Amino acid sequence: MADLQNLITHLNEQVKRKTTQISAIHIIAATIGLSLDLDVTLDTAISVVMNVVGAEAAGISLIDDTTQEVVLRAQEGWLHDFVKKSPMRVPPGQGMSGEVIRRNDAIVDNNLTEGHQFAVPRFGKERFRSIAMAPMHARGQIIGILSVMSHRADRFDDDIVETLQSIADTVGMAINNARLYEKHVENEDRLNAILQSTADGILAVDQNGRIREVNYAASRLLQMSAQSLTGTLLAESPIPNELRARLVTAMQAQAEDSDKSFRVTLESKHEIQAVISIVRMPSPVVGDKEEDGHVAVLQDITHFRDEELARAQFIQAAAHDMKNPLSVTQSSLFTLDSLLDTSDPMVQEVMTIAHAGITRLQRLIDDLMQIEKIESGYGFYREDVDLRELGYEVSAQIKPLMKDKGLHYEFQLDDNLPSALYIDREWIQRALFNYLENASKYHRPQGEVQLRIYRAEAVVRFEVVDNGPGIPRGALTRIFDRFYRVEDRRDVRGSGLGLAIVKSVAEAHNGGVYVHSQEDVGSTFGLWLPLET
Ligand code: ADP
């Protein structure tokens, strides 16, 4: 009977102990889990631990990842400041800390005497008589040590040590979370600093089309504060109309590569180049689903345009000055041709080279003069032109070239075209010829080329479609610039002016040009003209 009574008392005590421990863990978790600030977490943990265990002093040490030293990070109830003033760092493996880590278990010393050899002698000045230490774990590793101290001997019994051990890991987890969070905030701050200091404007749009990030350069470029843009839907944002519309198009799921880099001129006359990329981001709602956000990089290229203009003017002037001497050289060459002994193969070769060189130079000068002519409006003669007739004429012109290259050519005409369009016949023919000539120059074996003319709402579109090598994405925004040629296609002869001429022709008619292209698949070069001119 007495035994049973004893057993019940014993069990009761055990239950009481466990309950005390569990409620201690609960109090610790509930209190220190509230903050993600590392210092606040440490301070809260220390005072709660002292309370729960009933100790007069406590300390939290963390393991330095690089040196493996045990460094005191927070203290309470001590006489001296071993955290800030004279930091306490215990070398790896030494003292009671070394013992705790080696055993990976709590230890206690309830009778520290004056002669005790501490790993850090200064610690002796605290005159603690009892000390209990427990390792703190996080993600399966010891990250530090939780200690409680008293100035009285025999202060910490097994129950207290057990409780200390069970709360140490809860404290460890909280510290680990706070550290991770701090690291995350630090990374975010660093990224933000980079984002804000880059010279390019950056606009980040989330999967719902809402603007999430606007850096300093972007807000300067758009002359709008970041606050007025952040959080708004891109489609409803106060960004200038044309730029906004093109950004929206570029971020649509069905957008093509060619929509994703473009140039626009703002009302302020600033010319902006935009390149849009997709960023996959985890869906905030659906588990393992990813959705598309977008980042637009905006650059102010006004100064490039001005330089290009100055360069174009200079070249134009040079072309003018070269035209006459070139004609004189060419006629002299013809005269020389008739005087020389052309049966000599050496003479023949030299003359052929000279003729070819002059012809190329002449073509370049002709192209330059053409651009100037269109832009000046000189000799621009509009009339009602039958588009069917125009299409057949260009086709007849280009067919021999296509046949020569072994390309399959097709001409397609829309039924509901207007009977006539008020345009300059020669210029439009020249423009289409340039597109078609390019398709024949930059082709692949057994290639196919199609010219199609069709009506789309208030415009007529002329498109040349090929399945040639396509255009690298990085070249798309510059392809219509004067003298621009794709770097790795230099083996094909050309001046880099063909597309610039098409653009000038289209603009002279209040129309425009565009290109859709994918490398190794093909290109569609388009020219649109308004129905009403
Ligand atoms: P050019 O043909 O004289 O070099 P263009 O202004 O006509 O100059 O064309 C510019 C560049 O665009 C070319 O150098 C070429 O690399 C590229 N290009 C033009 N048309 C096509 C096409 N249909 N397919 C692939 N690349 C093309």
Side-chain angles (χ1 to χ4, degrees):
M1 196 60 191
D3 276 357
L4 190 62
Q5 196 60 47
N6 276 347
L7 187 64
I8 290 172
T9 318
H10 179 68
L11 282 177
N12 261 343
E13 270 171 14
Q14 251 188 0
V15 170
K16 225 166 113 189
R17 260 203 340 258
K18 283 283 165 219
T19 314
T20 319
Q21 270 177 25
I22 290 169
S23 72
I25 294 175
H26 179 73
I27 293 170
I28 298 270
T31 329
I32 61 180
L34 286 177
S35 170
L36 278 173
D37 180 307
L38 183 57
D39 287 322
V40 174
T41 304
L42 289 167
D43 290 344
T44 319
I46 285 226
S47 46
V48 179
V49 167
M50 281 167 61
N51 242 329
V52 169
V53 181
E56 298 132 72
I60 292 177
S61 304
L62 297 178
I63 297 174
D64 184 325
D65 278 344
T66 36
T67 63
Q68 296 303 309
E69 289 168 305
V70 180
V71 184
L72 189 70
R73 190 64 174 71
Q75 60 177 172
E76 201 176 316
W78 300 38
L79 293 174
H80 305 95
D81 179 353
F82 285 128
V83 174
K84 289 206 176 93
K85 259 198 193 144
S86 45
M88 188 159 87
R89 304 179 80 97
V90 182
Q94 293 196 16
M96 286 179 76
S97 317
E99 186 69 18
V100 171
I101 293 170
R102 212 171 13 255
R103 285 207 218 163
N104 195 10
D105 201 1
I107 58 171
V108 61
D109 193 329
N110 272 321
N111 193 17
L112 290 166
T113 50
E114 238 174 80
H116 190 93
Q117 295 287 317
F118 289 104
V120 178
R122 285 177 289 144
F123 184 63
K125 291 185 187 157
E126 293 294 324
R127 300 187 182 281
F128 290 129
R129 295 291 315 277
S130 301
I131 180 162
M133 291 177 152
M136 298 187 298
H137 295 92
R139 295 206 262 161
Q141 271 192 336
I142 304 180
I143 63 151
I145 294 172
L146 177 65
S147 323
V148 284
M149 302 88 169
S150 168
H151 293 109
R152 281 193 288 133
D154 291 323
R155 180 68 182 77
F156 304 123
D157 60 16
D158 287 353
D159 278 357
I160 293 185
V161 176
E162 208 176 307
T163 308
L164 186 72
Q165 178 65 81
S166 36
I167 53 185
D169 285 348
T170 313
V171 175
M173 288 293 290
I175 291 174
N176 197 51
N177 287 346
R179 269 160 132 192
L180 283 179
Y181 180 73
E182 248 174 32
K183 214 180 214 159
H184 170 79
V185 170
E186 208 179 287
N187 279 346
E188 197 171 281
D189 285 351
R190 196 174 312 136
L191 280 180
N192 227 0
I194 295 172
L195 194 71
Q196 292 305 333
S197 59
T198 46
D200 292 341
I202 292 173
L203 213 75
V205 177
D206 71 11
Q207 51 270 74
N208 302 317
R210 219 170 263 285
I211 302 176
R212 284 290 163 217
E213 205 70 63
V214 181
N215 75 344
Y216 176 68
S219 90
R220 253 188 61 168
L221 204 90
L222 300 170
Q223 293 171 354
M224 281 166 199
S225 71
Q227 288 103 306
S228 66
L229 296 171
T230 316
T232 59
L233 280 172
L234 173 67
E236 292 167 8
S237 68
I239 292 176
N241 288 350
E242 192 187 347
L243 177 60
R244 190 188 55 224
R246 298 203 57 178
L247 285 172
V248 169
T249 308
M251 293 181 191
Q252 274 162 2
Q254 68 273 25
E256 295 184 24
D257 266 4
S258 46
D259 296 324
K260 292 184 179 145
S261 48
F262 58 83
R263 290 179 184 182
V264 286
T265 309
L266 301 183
E267 246 175 52
S268 60
K269 295 278 175 276
H270 277 269
E271 185 146 354
I272 308 283
Q273 173 161 297
V275 179
I276 288 86
S277 328
I278 294 180
V279 260
R280 305 284 293 161
M281 37 176 87
S283 161
V285 189
V286 187
D288 21 300
K289 197 175 156 219
E290 284 199 325
E291 292 173 353
D292 288 346
H294 290 88
V295 170
V297 176
L298 308 175
Q299 284 175 319
D300 186 344
I301 52 162
T302 316
H303 56 291
F304 289 132
R305 185 195 55 191
D306 295 346
E307 278 165 22
E308 198 179 301
L309 221 63
R311 197 172 57 134
Q313 279 165 354
F314 168 76
I315 292 169
Q316 220 68 61
H320 259 287
D321 291 350
M322 279 194 293
K323 199 166 168 57
N324 287 339
L326 198 68
S327 310
V328 175
T329 314
Q330 193 171 38
S331 43
S332 309
L333 208 60
F334 278 121
T335 316
L336 200 64
D337 221 0
S338 59
L339 296 176
L340 287 173
D341 173 13
T342 42
S343 60
D344 183 342
M346 179 82 155
V347 172
Q348 230 179 37
E349 197 187 331
V350 171
M351 290 309 282
T352 311
I353 294 172
H355 276 299
I358 296 262
T359 311
R360 267 175 55 201
L361 204 56
Q362 208 142 37
R363 169 119 200 234
L364 175 70
I365 289 175
D366 282 349
D367 281 352
L368 281 167
M369 302 299 246
Q370 288 213 25
I371 293 191
E372 190 185 350
K373 220 162 134 188
I374 308 162
E375 287 183 353
S376 67
Y378 178 77
F380 188 60
Y381 175 68
R382 282 185 183 214
E383 57 187 325
D384 278 330
V385 175
D386 181 338
L387 296 178
R388 263 158 269 263
E389 211 178 279
L390 180 124
Y392 283 116
E393 270 174 27
V394 183
S395 299
Q397 249 181 318
I398 203 71
K399 267 182 186 162
L401 206 61
M402 297 289 174
K403 206 171 153 205
D404 251 17
K405 298 269 171 75
L407 302 173
H408 179 260
Y409 175 74
E410 192 187 80
F411 170 43
Q412 227 186 53
L413 204 66
D414 193 3
D415 284 341
N416 64 356
L417 278 175
S419 57
L421 206 59
Y422 191 59
I423 52 176
D424 183 311
R425 174 197 294 266
E426 261 185 52
W427 280 125
I428 296 293
Q429 267 184 354
R430 170 71 204 254
L432 297 180
F433 188 81
N434 282 5
Y435 271 172
L436 290 164
E437 195 187 25
N438 276 349
S440 75
K441 275 198 314 193
Y442 306 102
H443 71 284
R444 287 188 293 181
Q446 268 103 48
E448 289 174 12
V449 180
Q450 189 190 54
L451 166 66
R452 54 183 186 218
I453 309 179
Y454 63 96
R455 182 178 171 166
E457 291 170 14
V459 303
V460 172
R461 291 183 187 273
F462 302 78
E463 285 180 350
V464 173
V465 188
D466 68 49
N467 57 356
I471 296 173
R473 195 173 161 201
L476 282 171
T477 51
R478 303 201 50 203
I479 203 85
F480 288 98
D481 285 357
R482 284 174 208 193
F483 301 113
Y484 184 81
R485 307 200 66 212
V486 174
E487 209 47 60
D488 60 359
R489 313 245 168 95
R490 300 267 169 176
D491 50 324
V492 181
R493 287 241 164 101
S495 61
L497 287 170
L499 295 180
I501 293 177
V502 185
K503 186 171 177 233
S504 299
V505 169
E507 285 170 359
H509 286 86
N510 296 325
V513 287
Y514 52 89
V515 57
H516 301 299
S517 184
Q518 203 178 334
E519 258 190 301
D520 294 329
V521 176
S523 315
T524 299
F525 279 91
L527 185 167
W528 64 266
L529 300 177
L531 278 176
E532 302 291 332
T533 49

